[in-house]
């Protein structure tokens, strides 16, 4: 996960692995380079430009909420896919953005300028002043956005300048039976056969500058776009992934890892076991609920399954022992030198002590998140309307109440479109039970102990304005400060939300914040020690949602004794999986027809149609949609996942074991051309053979 502006230092190593590009081809500020084709998609995923007319590819699961928003029972794009026949049919997506990195600059010296001799808040204040100035300067006389981000826990700072496009339209998506083929059964798993891609287009104003959606906007002309490779793949060939990895935590201490493995992860997994079982059953029972909950289900299940894989991997490699050994080596090294000993000799002990001190606060924090932010949606409703609830008196006095009420009713429509009361009620009951059990009766607010979870569920879901649209609208129509006061006293849903929230803010939040703040300080020292005492070891800053490069090879793996994963999968495997009868492997008839006819077009290799392949590139969440690029800068495919055995890489990357999963661009083109009849999109790209 290397910083693109520093890639020059790795050019030799990359060339030794087969790369034929120069560092300037990859990252350049003054000339166009690969970086100009890489986009941060919606702030969470990565996407890449593949034509001179702003055509952009990302994963199906990254564009999923947009596709879902455009879907209905009449236009079931989730089930059947969607393909704009021409630009006028492309669909707008309010709020969706795509950003290009203009430049990345090491500003460490400028951030620390004038802080010599300062301590504590005085030092922080000076650093903030410097940072604000840097940002203001970078944003003068241009339409860019700038930010200064800490790397290595504040040992370094980089300025990131970006250009954000605001008109991003949906061009096409395959049906779920391709884009989500394998569903949760295959998520995080190899062998994999998911066609995890969707197609968007960036529009700009006539001057090629970002602009909000407008009919007069035109397709954006990129500084660079990636040619796509239809050449035969060769196992062992060089691959590079260019994208926006979100978070890694490679420096966790043994104590912290142990807490996560023994307490935190198992509890979060247990919470999600429950909500997923309810949602899955509801989705199977009705097409409407299937559409309503597909996006939510995918989000909840994704973390859940990753964590299960992480725990498995961490145990298999005995990550805890590896951590302990490394910590010993660190302390031994510090002990060899008086100055090091003073600076670094106690930091690991302090970090582990900090975990002991605050782990229950942290646990309360994450369980609250699981309960209120991932669990039953009545809590989300309460958060959404809470501001209105407290402002109603003022609105009544100062006018504007009628409009505010109408806005609430309108806003609620969007929410209830994707809500099923019976499903939410069951989730509430099961998660309340689990929440109390895991945290302990004494650590949850009294209201949760006042009656059984079942009784609470019955009482809330039959009366609260949070859990039913008709009740909400009826209440809103007549709401005034008097009825509001009554509601706050009487509505059990609102009361429960308030009390759990207040307990959280009082009991858990301060400790969790202290924990993070103090830990980051110690991590800064710890990492500084690694950099200083082990200068010959490969060091890279933890991911922080900034643009990074990782490279490796196209290769398989052997994660279990007696088991070998090949590096690619083919269309035949899709049919074999479908034959198993598992509904996650459902196909539409067209796939059978094409597979039977072996109609592979020019997209095959040695008589096979490759679907996915693996590589030894270090990726994480946020890398989804990232281009996997060959030795010459051509697009081989889209990164979308990791193997189950390697999800531990967020804590510990092991290149012999960890593999990223890519959907082959030749399969993407085959789907567009042969499956969907959207050959015009393939023709828009530049194909290298
Ligand atoms: N595991 C991949 C990632 O973290 C893909 C998730 C989407 N697929 C799914 N079946 N939920 O984003
Ligand atoms: N699927 C992930 C993403 O959405 C990628 C990963 O975690 O490997 O970014």
């Amino acid at each position: 996960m290397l910083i693109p502006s520093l890639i020059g230092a790795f050019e030799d190593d990359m060339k030794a692995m087969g790369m034929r590009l120069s560092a300037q081809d990859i990252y350049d500020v003054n000339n166009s380079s690969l970086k100009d084709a890489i986009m941060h998609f919606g702030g969470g995923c990565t996407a890449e430009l593949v034509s001179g007319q702003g055509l952009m590819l990302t994963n199906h699961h990254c564009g999923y909420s947009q596709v879902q928003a455009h879907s209905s029972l009449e236009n079931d794009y989730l089930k059947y896919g969607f393909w704009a026949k021409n630009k006028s049919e492309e669909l707008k997506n309010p709020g969706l953005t795509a950003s290009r990195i203009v430049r990345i600059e090491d500003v460490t010296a400028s951030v620390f300028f004038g802080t010599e001799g300062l301590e504590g808040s005085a030092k922080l204040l000076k650093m903030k002043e410097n940072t604000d100035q840097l940002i203001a300067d970078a944003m003068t006389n241009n339409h860019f956005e700038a930010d200064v981000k800490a790397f290595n826990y504040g040992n370094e700072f980089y300025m990131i300048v970006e250009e954000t496009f605001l008109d991003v339209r949906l061009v096409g998506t395959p049906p779920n039976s391709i884009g989500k083929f394998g569903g949760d059964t295959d998520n995080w798993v190899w062998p994999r056969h998911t066609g995890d891609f969707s197609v968007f287009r960036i529009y700009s104003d006539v001057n090629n500058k970002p602009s909000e959606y407008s009919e007069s906007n035109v397709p954006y002309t990129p500084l660079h776009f990636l040619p796509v490779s239809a050449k035969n793949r060769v196992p062992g060939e060089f691959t590079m992934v260019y994208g926006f990895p979100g978070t890694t935590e490679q420096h966790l201490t043994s104590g912290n890892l142990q807490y996560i493995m023994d307490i935190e992860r198992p509890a979060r997994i247990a919470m999600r076991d429950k909500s997923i079982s309810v949602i899955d059953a509801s989705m199977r029972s009705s097409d409407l609920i299937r559409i309503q909950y597909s996006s939510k289900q995918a989000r909840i299940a994704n973390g859940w399954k990753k964590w299960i894989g992480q725990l498995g991997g961490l145990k298999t490699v005995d990550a805890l022992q590896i951590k302990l050994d490394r910590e010993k080596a660190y302390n031994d090294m510090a002990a060899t030198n008086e100055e090091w000993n003073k600076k670094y000799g106690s930091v690991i002990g302090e970090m582990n002590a900090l975990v002991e001190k605050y782990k229950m606060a942290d646990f309360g924090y994450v369980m609250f998140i699981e309960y209120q932010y991932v669990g039953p949606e009545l809590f989300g409703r309460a958060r959404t309307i809470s501001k209105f609830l407290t402002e109603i008196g003022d609105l009544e006095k100062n006018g504007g109440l009628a409009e505010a009420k109408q806005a609430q009713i309108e806003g609620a429509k969007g929410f209830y479109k994707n809500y099923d009361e019976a499903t939410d009620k069951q989730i509430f009951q099961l998660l309340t039970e689990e929440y109390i059990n895991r945290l302990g009766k004494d650590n949850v607010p009294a209201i949760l102990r006042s009656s059984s979870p079942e009784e609470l569920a019955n009482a809330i879901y039959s009366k609260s304005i949070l859990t039913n649209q008709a009740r909400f609208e009826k209440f809103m129509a007549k709401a005034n400060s008097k009825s509001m006061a009554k509601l706050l006293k009487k509505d059990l849903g609102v009361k429960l939300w308030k009390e759990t929230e207040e307990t959280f803010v009082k009991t858990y939040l301060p400790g969790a914040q202290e924990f993070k703040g103090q830990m980051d300080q110690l991590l800064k020292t710890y990492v500084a020690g690694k950099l200083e005492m082990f200068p010959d070891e490969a060091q890279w800053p933890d991911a922080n949602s900034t643009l990074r490069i990782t490279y490796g090879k196209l290769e398989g793996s052997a994660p279990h004794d007696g088991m070998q994963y090949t590096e690619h999968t083919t269309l035949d495997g899709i049919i074999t999986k479908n034959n198993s009868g598992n509904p996650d492997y459902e196909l539409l008839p067209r796939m059978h027809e094409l597979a039977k006819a072996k109609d592979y077009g020019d997209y095959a290799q040695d008589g096979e149609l490759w679907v996915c392949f693996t590589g030894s590139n270090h990726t994480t969440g946020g890398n989804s949609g990232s281009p996997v690029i060959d030795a010459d800068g051509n697009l081989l495919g889209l990164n979308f996942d990791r193997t189950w055995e390697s999800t531990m890489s967020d804590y510990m990357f092991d290149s012999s074991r960890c593999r990223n999963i890519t959907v082959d661009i030749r399969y993407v083109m085959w789907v567009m051309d042969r499956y969907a009849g959207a050959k015009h999109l393939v023709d828009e790209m530049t194909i290298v053979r």
Side-chain angles (χ1 to χ4, degrees), residues 45 59-62 179-189 192 194 196 294-295 297-303 306 620-622 624 640-642 647:
C45 280
N59 288 148
H60 182 261
H61 76 264
C62 293
K180 205 176 184 290
F181 180 79
D184 285 325
T185 307
D186 278 8
N187 192 24
W188 301 112
V189 162
R192 190 64 161 277
T194 313
D196 200 339
S294 58
S295 202
Q297 195 275 358
R299 201 177 57 236
I300 299 170
N302 194 41
K306 174 170 76 175
T620 188
S624 271
F640 69 95
D641 208 4
R642 282 168 283 166
T647 53

Side-chain angles (χ1 to χ4, degrees), residues 22-97:
S22 70
Q24 277 74 27
D25 294 333
I26 299 173
Y27 176 90
D28 198 340
V29 176
N30 302 311
N31 302 291
S32 70
S33 59
L34 288 187
K35 92 163 160 53
D36 297 308
I38 320 299
M39 308 300 288
H40 207 178
F41 181 86
C45 280
T46 306
E48 53 277 353
L49 293 158
V50 290
S51 90
Q53 302 175 64
L55 195 69
M56 184 169 74
L57 300 176
T58 188
N59 288 148
H60 182 261
H61 76 264
C62 293
Y64 203 59
S65 57
Q66 278 76 35
V67 175
Q68 200 246 355
H70 290 298
S71 292
S72 59
L73 282 173
E74 298 77 54
N75 287 320
D76 195 343
Y77 298 147
L78 296 173
K79 184 152 180 185
Y80 298 108
F82 163 78
W83 299 96
K85 285 199 247 354
N86 52 53
K87 296 197 180 79
S88 72
E89 288 186 6
E90 295 173 1
L91 301 172
K92 62 176 169 179
N93 302 288
L96 178 63
T97 59

Side-chain angles (χ1 to χ4, degrees), residues 502-650:
E502 277 162 17
T503 310
F504 166 73
V505 170
K506 258 205 324 255
T507 319
Y508 296 116
L509 187 61
Q513 283 171 336
E514 272 301 303
F515 181 45
K516 181 156 178 13
Q518 292 187 32
M519 188 56 100
D520 280 356
Q521 276 308 307
L522 292 170
L523 277 166
K524 184 182 171 194
T525 305
Y526 180 47
V527 173
K530 285 191 179 180
L531 295 171
E532 186 175 352
M533 299 192 295
F534 301 90
D536 297 333
E537 276 182 18
Q539 309 280 3
W540 48 274
D542 266 328
N544 58 356
S545 294
T546 60
L547 186 61
R548 303 291 182 96
I549 294 167
T550 167
Y551 59 92
K553 290 184 210 159
L554 192 161
E555 57 179 324
S557 57
H560 304 287
D561 185 34
M563 192 169 175
Q564 181 86 37
Y565 287 159
T566 57
E567 76 294 327
H568 79 278
T569 57
T570 68
L571 190 63
D572 291 342
I574 293 184
I575 304 301
T576 312
K577 280 181 172 171
N578 173 257
N579 288 339
S580 72
N582 179 335
D584 278 343
Y585 300 132
E586 240 163 48
L587 294 173
L588 297 176
R590 177 144 184 85
M591 186 63 101
H592 285 291
E593 286 159 26
L594 292 173
K596 205 166 189 179
K598 292 201 181 293
D599 179 3
Y600 301 159
D602 329 332
Y603 306 109
Q605 169 164 348
D606 303 327
E608 286 181 332
L609 185 63
W610 284 36
V611 176
C612 296
F613 61 82
T614 57
S616 46
N617 305 287
H618 183 191
T619 54
T620 188
N623 269 126
S624 271
S626 298
V628 179
I629 297 170
D630 74 3
D632 298 303
N634 303 317
L635 183 64
L636 292 170
L638 276 64
N639 179 74
F640 69 95
D641 208 4
R642 282 168 283 166
T643 64
W644 220 27
E645 295 80 4
S646 63
T647 53
M648 56 174 268
S649 67
D650 292 349

Side-chain angles (χ1 to χ4, degrees), residues 1-2 7-19 26 237-242 538 548-555 615-619 628-630 653 655 660:
M1 293 187 178
L2 308 167
I7 200 66
F10 298 87
E11 195 185 84
D12 287 347
D13 188 48
M14 294 167 92
K15 285 193 163 151
M17 283 177 67
M19 186 182 75
I26 299 173
E237 73 171 276
F238 174 86
T239 57
M240 165 170 100
V241 179
Y242 212 153
R548 303 291 182 96
I549 294 167
T550 167
Y551 59 92
K553 290 184 210 159
L554 192 161
E555 57 179 324
S616 46
N617 305 287
H618 183 191
T619 54
V628 179
I629 297 170
D630 74 3
F653 178 70
S655 64
N660 68 311

